[in-house]
């Protein structure tokens, strides 16, 4: 089964990682275009359609050489099968399928969100189920109860914009650079978070859902009435905006932790790298007696290490998927369902029969 | 010739969703809605109304596709909810499966459509949402679609009464962007 090669191409990043025999991360390579974007001075081109195709070979080769192994050594190959963009997912999964067919390796198609969910535990033998997870990124804001491997329930989610998008679009309205979340985090450190009263979406509503579009409107209104904040006022406004986002996330997380009596709390996804969010969650963890689990910074944003970790956990249970496993752009987190093979697919599953995933 | 457009005001999110739901009643297979307008102008809110009007159940969240780029929902027709905000060039639309879907299957509704107007088929209905004080102004270029005939009859739940639709000649959104 090891070394296990994992590939992630669900959206913007082309990434590959290699897991060793103890489930440890031997290498993790992310080909990001973030430096290219910074040149544009705003939120701009984040993706190039051909970038996955152009990058994947080099990224995989780099992950293998960093891990000190070659394609001939591999014991298993895995790739993200959803959720994400169909075209992007196909590049990674097809590459993995080609490799699995050519070298007669077991293949696993992995849920990208499950990767984020379990990212804090990469390198450890087993995640501490059950736990409550807040998955926060540019595209996702979800509260998930994780009872076991493949046994997940989404109990809260955003109704409009994700938390990462609130950072990004807030930064855009404030005329700040890209990536917005990083710039706001930096400017906020010199700002007064109590300076501006901005809305905490859904705070007074029952349930565990989030909403950040009202916050975006509030920032727009402020800029219309007062112009774009400058100097120390800019720092204060950024700190207030950041506080509103963190507050909204924390409020529902605390409520859910109490509702389901959870004391192991996971905060994961790109926004989990935000320094204020980390500090505030730690404060509340101390008050509530939580054990807080956060991925290391390099595993917060999209990466293949988290995909490899999930694949290793599943492979060790004997799971493997058909070589004709289809991508699933709308894949959600929930109870396990076996991946659907493509109807009439050219690739047939190998001699080893497919083991259905356990529900 | 400057194209014909219909315009009215929307008092709030509820009226914006109601407009989406009413437009949903007349869209058909292969139809394309190009949404334009600045941040927080109500583009995603319009899409929420459109999706509900097409029969997408309330428990399915209709969210901004800015980071996910393409969200899909199942209603009376498949709905492709796309967003060009993060695209750097027309070439990158390929990654959204733009050519395979937009204008061919289901209903496509595309936010920030005026960033790359040349991508769109000729039968696209263009909808611009703009801030108008605390309200919104909506302008629709219906072209030859079914909407052209019924737009003036659409009544919206604006508190204080519906302001009638007015027809005017107006350049397309990307021609009059500041």
């Amino acid at each position: 089964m090891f070394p296990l090669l994992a590939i992630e191409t669900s959206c913007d990043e082309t990434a590959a990682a290699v897991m060793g025999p103890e489930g440890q991360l031997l290498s993790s390579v992310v080909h990001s275009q973030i430096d290219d974007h910074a040149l544009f001075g705003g939120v701009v081109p984040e993706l190039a359609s051909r970038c996955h195709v152009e990058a994947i070979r080099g990224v995989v080769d780099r992950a293998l050489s960093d891990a000190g192994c070659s394609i001939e050594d591999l014991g298993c190959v895995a790739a993200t099968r959803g959720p994400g963009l169909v075209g992007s997912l196909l590049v990674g999964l097809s590459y993995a399928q080609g490799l699995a067919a050519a070298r007669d390796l077991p293949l696993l198609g992995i849920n990208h969100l499950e990767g984020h969910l379990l990212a804090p535990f990469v390198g450890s033998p087993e995640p501490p189920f059950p736990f409550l997870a807040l998955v926060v990124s540019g595209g996702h804001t979800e509260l998930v109860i994780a009872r076991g491997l493949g046994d997940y329930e989404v109990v809260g989610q955003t109704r409009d914009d994700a938390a990462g998008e609130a950072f990004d679009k807030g930064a855009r309205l404030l005329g700040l650079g890209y990536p917005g979340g990083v710039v706001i985090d930096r400017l906020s450190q010199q700002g007064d978070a109590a300076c501006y009263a901005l809305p905490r979406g859904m705070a007074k509503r029952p349930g565990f859902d989030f909403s950040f579009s009202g916050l975006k409107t509030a920032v727009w209104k402020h800029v219309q009435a007062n112009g774009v904040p400058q100097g120390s006022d800019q720092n204060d406004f950024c700190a207030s905006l950041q506080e509103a986002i963190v507050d909204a996330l924390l409020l529902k997380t605390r409520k859910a932790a109490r509702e389901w009596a959870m004391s192991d709390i996971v905060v994961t996804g790109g926004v989990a790298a935000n320094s204020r969010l980390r500090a505030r969650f730690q404060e509340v963890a101390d008050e509530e007696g939580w054990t807080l689990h956060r991925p290391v910074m390099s595993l917060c944003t999209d990466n293949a290490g988290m995909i490899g970790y999930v694949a290793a956990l599943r492979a060790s249970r004997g799971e493997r998927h058909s070589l004709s496993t289809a991508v699933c752009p709308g894949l959600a987190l929930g109870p396990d369902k076996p991946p659907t093979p493509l109807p009439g697919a050219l690739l047939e599953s190998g001699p080893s029969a497919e083991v259905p995933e356990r529900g | 010739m400057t194209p014909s457009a219909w315009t009215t005001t929307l008092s709030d999110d509820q009226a914006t969703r109601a407009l989406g739901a009413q437009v949903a009643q007349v869209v058909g297979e292969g139809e394309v809605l190009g949404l334009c307008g600045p941040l927080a102008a109500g583009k995603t809110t319009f899409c929420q109304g459109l999706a509900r009007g097409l029969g997408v159940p309330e428990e399915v969240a209709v969210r901004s596709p800015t980071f996910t780029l393409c969200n899909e929902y199942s209603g009376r027709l498949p709905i492709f909810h796309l967003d060009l905000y993060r695209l750097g060039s027309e070439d990158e639309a390929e990654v959204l499966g733009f050519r395979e879907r937009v204008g061919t299957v289901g209903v496509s509704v595309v936010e920030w459509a005026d960033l790359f107007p040349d991508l769109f088929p000729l039968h696209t209905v263009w909808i611009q949402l703009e801030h108008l004080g605390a309200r919104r102004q909506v302008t629709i270029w219906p072209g030859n679609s079914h909407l052209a005939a019924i737009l003036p009859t659409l009544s919206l739940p604006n508190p204080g009464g519906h302001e009638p639709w007015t027809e005017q000649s107006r350049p397309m959104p990307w021609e009059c962007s500041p």
Side-chain angles (χ1 to χ4, degrees):
Chain A
M1 189 167 79
F2 295 104
L4 181 154
L5 171 70
I7 297 169
E8 151 69 35
T9 58
S10 64
C11 197
D12 301 339
E13 319 287 1
T14 314
V18 177
M19 310 295 293
E22 312 293 324
Q24 77 276 33
L25 194 55
L26 295 179
S27 68
S28 178
V29 177
V30 179
H31 176 270
S32 172
Q33 295 189 300
I34 205 153
D35 292 335
D36 302 343
H37 312 159
L39 298 175
F40 291 87
V43 185
V44 216
E46 179 112 357
L47 31 109
S49 56
R50 290 171 303 275
C51 84
H52 291 301
V53 176
E54 284 167 4
I56 190 158
R57 177 81 192 275
V59 168
V60 167
D61 286 352
R62 179 69 188 275
L64 289 169
S65 69
D66 283 3
C69 64
S70 68
I71 280 190
E72 288 75 28
D73 302 326
L74 291 176
C76 183
V77 58
T80 306
R81 69 180 180 100
L85 288 168
V86 64
S88 303
L89 290 164
L90 273 170
V91 174
L93 189 60
S94 306
Y95 192 96
Q97 284 165 333
L99 202 52
R103 308 230 31 106
D104 194 22
L105 296 172
L107 172 80
L108 284 148
I110 301 298
N111 183 326
H112 173 82
L113 292 172
E114 188 179 22
H116 278 303
L117 201 66
L118 303 184
F121 312 113
V122 170
S124 70
E126 187 77 10
F129 296 115
F131 59 80
L132 171 71
L134 175 68
V135 184
V136 267
S137 65
H140 295 277
T141 304
E142 283 163 13
L143 270 172
V144 184
I145 305 281
R147 297 189 174 89
L149 189 66
D151 185 1
Y152 310 120
E153 183 188 355
V154 177
V155 295
Q157 56 188 331
T158 183
R159 297 197 171 178
D160 36 57
D161 299 355
E165 184 173 348
F167 275 108
D168 185 85
K169 292 203 170 157
R172 172 87 166 238
L173 285 164
L174 296 170
L176 304 173
Y178 181 85
V182 176
V183 179
I184 288 179
D185 194 344
R186 180 165 48 80
L187 295 174
S188 296
Q189 295 182 10
Q190 267 80 51
D192 173 10
C195 194
Y196 292 99
L198 294 168
R200 273 67 171 157
M202 308 291 290
K204 296 194 178 69
R205 303 275 191 89
F208 303 92
D209 281 353
F210 305 95
S211 165
F212 292 102
S213 70
L215 181 58
K216 184 173 64 185
T217 305
V219 175
W220 179 83
K221 282 182 178 162
H222 179 86
V223 170
Q224 285 299 304
N226 308 289
V228 174
Q230 304 290 337
S232 67
D233 188 38
Q234 184 182 61
N235 298 341
D236 291 343
F237 198 86
C238 284
S240 303
L241 171 61
Q242 177 173 269
E243 203 69 7
I245 297 169
V246 172
D247 259 352
L249 295 171
L250 195 48
L251 191 119
K252 296 289 182 180
T253 306
R254 190 196 306 237
K255 194 174 154 192
R258 289 178 176 173
E259 174 85 15
W260 280 277
M262 292 285 171
S263 58
D264 281 287
I265 310 294
V266 163
V267 185
T268 185
V271 179
N274 178 273
S275 64
R276 184 65 181 157
L277 181 134
R278 290 173 96 95
R280 290 287 312 282
F281 268 74
Q282 191 57 59
E283 278 171 32
V284 174
D286 295 341
E287 282 168 37
E288 301 274 319
W290 293 347
T291 306
L292 207 52
H293 306 274
R294 291 167 300 204
V296 295
M297 287 291 188
S298 60
L299 297 178
C300 280
T301 45
D302 289 354
N303 66 88
M306 63 186 193
I307 302 301
Y309 179 64
V310 175
L313 289 175
R314 288 181 172 274
S316 68
R317 302 199 316 185
E319 277 183 37
R320 56 168 57 195
H321 301 147
S322 160
L323 272 184
S324 56
T325 293
V327 298
C328 184
L331 189 63
L333 268 181
D336 262 4
K337 281 182 218 144
T340 336
L342 284 165
L346 295 171
L347 290 166
E348 293 301 325
S349 52
S352 44
E354 183 180 357
V355 179
E357 292 181 82
R358 283 172 228 174
Chain B
M1 195 182 80
T2 319
S4 172
W6 290 87
T7 192
T8 188
T9 57
L10 303 166
S11 56
D12 54 15
D13 283 355
Q14 203 196 336
T16 310
R17 281 194 198 96
L19 175 64
Q22 295 197 40
V23 169
Q25 303 313 311
V26 293
V27 295
E29 184 81 28
E31 219 139 345
V32 183
L33 305 175
L35 301 188
C36 325
L39 284 169
K43 296 180 293 298
T44 302
T45 308
F46 174 90
C47 294
Q48 290 171 340
L50 182 83
R52 301 299 171 233
L54 280 161
V56 177
E58 282 292 333
E59 57 271 19
V60 176
V62 174
R63 306 193 189 107
S64 165
T66 293
F67 277 82
T68 50
L69 302 169
C70 176
N71 298 341
E72 298 183 28
Y73 322 107
S74 303
R76 112 180 125 74
L77 295 165
I79 303 155
F80 301 105
H81 182 189
L82 294 89
D83 193 325
L84 307 187
Y85 179 82
R86 295 198 306 141
L87 253 57
S89 70
E90 281 179 19
D91 289 349
E92 293 179 358
E94 204 180 297
V95 89
L96 279 73
F98 201 95
R99 266 182 273 274
E100 292 84 342
R101 291 165 174 165
V102 174
T104 57
V105 283
V107 176
S108 300
V109 58
V110 187
E111 302 198 27
W112 297 92
D114 51 334
L115 289 177
F116 300 104
D118 293 343
L119 285 172
F120 288 81
L122 284 174
H123 68 276
T124 300
V125 172
W126 290 88
I127 301 176
Q128 182 160 47
L129 291 152
E130 294 164 289
H131 298 285
L132 190 68
R135 297 160 71 87
R136 287 172 179 147
Q137 180 172 312
V138 58
T139 308
I140 303 185
W141 290 259
N144 296 324
S145 72
H146 297 308
L147 261 181
I150 65 141
L151 252 190
T153 69
L154 294 186
S155 175
L156 301 164
N158 284 320
H162 171 61
E163 192 177 307
W165 291 88
T166 54
E167 189 180 16
Q168 53 184 245
S169 289
R170 209 176 141 176
M172 302 306 286
W174 58 91
E175 294 168 338
C176 60
S177 292

